[in-house]
Amino acid sequence: MRTLTATAATLLLAAGALPAAAAARPGPPGTDGVWRMDGYGTVLVLGGGVLQEYQTTSVSCLKGDTSPQTGPGTYAAPDGSVLTVRTVHDRDHALLAADSSVGHRKLRRLSAVPAQCTRPAATDPRTAFDIFWRTFEENYPFFARKGIDWHAVRDRYRPLVHKDTTKDELFGILSRMVRPLYDAHVTVMDGNRIFGQVRPGTQNPGPQLDAKVKKFVVARDLKDVPYRQDFAAGRITYADLPAGAGYLRISGFGGYAGENAPFTAEQAELDRALDTVLTPARIARLQGLVIDLRINGGGSDRLGIRIARRLTDTPYTAYAKRARNDPADPTRHTRPEPVHVVPADAPRYTGPVAVLTGGSTVSAGETFTQALMDRPGRTVRIGQPTQGVFSDVMVRSLPDGLLFGLPNEEFLTRTGRTFDGTGIPPQLTEPVFTKEEFAKNRDSAFDRAVNLLRR
């Protein structure tokens, strides 16, 4: 699962009142007030030193987390990210950004909090069902692509829910509703119990699989290397390979600096790794770089862009990002916002790159793969298609305390293509960590990459 950065975790809403101590703090001029976010089904109330979120659908409004103000226009999100709100063009239009995420959210000023947000929410099971169904109906972009009639799903399952339906029973019903989506960014959560699934024929890149594969790679592919070092709490490994190539394994784009660490600390750990690896002396002798994303659970898209900035001398566009923006029309979206890769003010490697991917390359692992597709210079993808989930995750709450997550965005190539559902295909196909590969001590994708870079 993608790490819940500000793009997702700040939407992880739970009922609560504004802190009394915050009431005396003035907000930054021009941003205090009520704002509706384009897409995302969210209303924000800024003032009194806090940012208060509300999750909305056409049938519901639930109060959410309170983010305290930390400076003019800045707020501390629950996950340690910093949110920034600033007006643009005039006092009625603003942008929200999170330091851990790429892109912005457009805000439009409202004259008052919507009336439904001022009324207590019903807590019966049918209300919870209706909010769940409606949230997907108004935000999920991929029903047609996956061949799912969501209205037929409602007609099948709503009669199963009644006033005496238990929370456990509702968890099961909601999980069965979304199972046919086979979307790794769709979850239903009840405490430590989580329903979620990956695309058929692929594996979830969890800690056990990651540890198994890392042990295999170190023993087989890196056994005779002259240099190897782990960084970022073991989530990044670099090794110098024989014959002048380098190997960079990234198992996620987060978790580098400890649980709930501020994004600045995550970024600093990544920079420490890149500064250690990409020294001028090493760059001068590198003839190729293998970037291994085959087991990658995702995280912050911005960290992926930060790595891409160390792999180019020429600015380019990584992708464009848009969100579904009409509750009644899944074909309407926010205006695509380009995400640019600007060369870093630090040593950069611009030679050949081989990117290893597979079905356990998930979320931010995929957006990073996409960010390298138009990288100037020689870049080739080897292995199997990625998982096929790119969007930030909207994490929502129900009145009975259940949580659920869903995507609502698309990441577009320069030709307007998306890879949701199918994943990004490799240019050179090789098996990735199959039973046969393990049994015969083979790593075909790694060997193909090394041989290709030697040419």
Side-chain angles (χ1 to χ4, degrees):
M1 290 292 299
R2 166 170 292 183
T3 301
L4 295 182
T5 59
T7 54
T10 58
L11 299 178
L12 184 54
L13 305 182
L18 295 177
R25 282 190 73 185
T31 60
D32 277 8
V34 183
W35 301 89
R36 183 179 295 280
M37 191 180 295
D38 283 358
Y40 304 92
T42 299
V43 169
L44 303 178
V45 179
L46 277 62
V50 296
L51 179 153
Q52 177 68 56
E53 295 176 299
Y54 293 83
Q55 325 173 307
T56 65
T57 71
S58 59
V59 300
S60 63
C61 178
L62 296 178
K63 200 172 190 178
D65 276 344
T66 302
S67 298
Q69 184 182 340
T70 57
T74 61
Y75 302 84
D79 68 337
S81 301
V82 176
L83 307 179
T84 301
V85 179
R86 61 181 178 87
T87 54
V88 292
H89 307 307
D90 55 53
R91 68 179 301 275
D92 293 328
H93 296 83
L95 293 176
L96 180 146
D99 65 347
S100 57
S101 180
V102 298
H104 300 81
R105 308 279 178 91
K106 290 186 177 180
L107 307 177
R108 300 174 188 273
R109 189 182 293 274
L110 301 179
S111 59
V113 176
Q116 64 182 357
C117 298
T118 65
R119 297 189 291 264
T123 59
D124 62 285
R126 273 225 163 158
T127 295
F129 178 96
D130 289 342
I131 293 173
F132 180 88
W133 184 87
R134 180 62 61 178
T135 301
F136 276 85
E137 168 72 6
E138 296 181 1
N139 295 282
Y140 191 73
F142 309 124
F143 287 124
R145 188 174 304 177
K146 294 176 180 287
I148 300 297
D149 183 342
W150 191 235
H151 288 253
V153 172
R154 177 193 58 191
D155 294 344
R156 176 182 177 185
Y157 286 100
R158 195 172 190 270
L160 303 180
V161 182
H162 49 80
K163 65 182 180 64
D164 296 322
T165 298
T166 67
K167 189 176 180 182
D168 184 69
E169 290 170 337
L170 185 60
F171 178 91
I173 290 170
L174 302 182
S175 299
R176 293 196 298 275
M177 288 173 64
V178 296
R179 184 184 298 275
L181 296 175
Y182 290 105
D183 189 320
H185 274 171
V186 171
T187 56
V188 183
M189 296 164 277
D190 180 16
N192 292 326
R193 181 170 57 160
I194 301 176
F195 169 82
Q197 58 187 359
V198 293
R199 195 181 75 229
T202 65
Q203 297 183 74
N204 182 16
Q208 288 185 324
L209 180 61
D210 182 36
K212 175 183 177 181
V213 167
K214 184 175 181 179
K215 181 179 179 180
F216 175 80
V217 168
V218 169
R220 182 198 183 273
D221 302 330
L222 309 181
K223 62 180 179 180
D224 295 323
V225 300
Y227 170 83
R228 175 172 64 86
Q229 185 173 349
D230 284 343
F231 302 91
R235 306 209 75 184
I236 297 175
T237 299
Y238 177 81
D240 285 325
L241 302 176
Y247 172 83
L248 183 66
R249 181 177 186 268
I250 307 170
S251 66
F253 291 95
Y256 298 166
E259 187 176 356
N260 293 325
F263 181 71
T264 51
E266 298 280 287
Q267 190 170 268
E269 284 299 306
L270 175 61
D271 287 347
R272 186 176 74 85
L274 296 176
D275 290 342
T276 302
V277 170
L278 296 178
T279 63
R282 178 172 280 114
I283 290 172
R285 65 175 183 267
L286 270 183
Q287 298 180 15
L289 179 64
V290 179
I291 300 179
D292 191 348
L293 306 174
R294 289 174 292 178
I295 308 297
N296 187 294
S300 167
D301 298 322
R302 185 172 290 278
L303 293 178
I305 294 295
R306 199 165 186 86
I307 298 173
R309 295 180 62 206
R310 300 293 291 265
L311 301 175
T312 182
D313 281 342
T314 305
Y316 70 96
T317 299
Y319 40 72
K321 184 177 177 180
R322 70 181 185 184
R324 183 175 163 184
N325 195 32
D326 189 324
D329 185 353
T331 67
R332 296 185 64 180
H333 302 83
T334 57
R335 183 185 297 273
E337 180 180 5
V339 176
H340 303 292
V341 178
V342 179
D345 186 16
R348 301 182 296 272
Y349 168 76
T350 60
V353 170
V355 183
L356 309 185
T357 67
S360 298
T361 308
V362 178
S363 196
E366 301 183 82
T367 65
F368 176 57
T369 301
Q370 188 168 349
L372 298 182
M373 291 178 66
D374 287 330
R375 169 185 176 263
R378 182 183 170 199
T379 306
V380 62
R381 301 184 305 279
I382 302 173
Q384 294 289 312
T386 64
Q387 177 65 212
V389 290
F390 296 78
S391 173
D392 296 332
V393 180
M394 294 174 61
V395 180
R396 299 286 180 165
S397 59
L398 295 175
D400 61 358
L402 289 176
L403 303 175
F404 64 99
L406 71 158
N408 70 320
E409 301 169 337
E410 294 177 320
F411 283 61
L412 310 178
T413 67
R414 56 185 170 83
T415 61
R417 180 179 179 182
T418 69
F419 297 100
D420 289 282
T422 61
I424 299 174
Q427 294 161 297
L428 301 175
T429 300
E430 293 288 350
V432 171
F433 303 132
T434 62
K435 290 182 179 179
E436 184 180 12
E437 290 270 291
F438 282 126
K440 296 185 177 181
N441 196 38
R442 290 195 316 222
D443 191 349
S444 299
F446 176 88
D447 291 346
R448 183 84 177 266
V450 171
N451 290 333
L452 185 69
L453 293 175
R454 284 174 177 166
R455 295 176 185 172

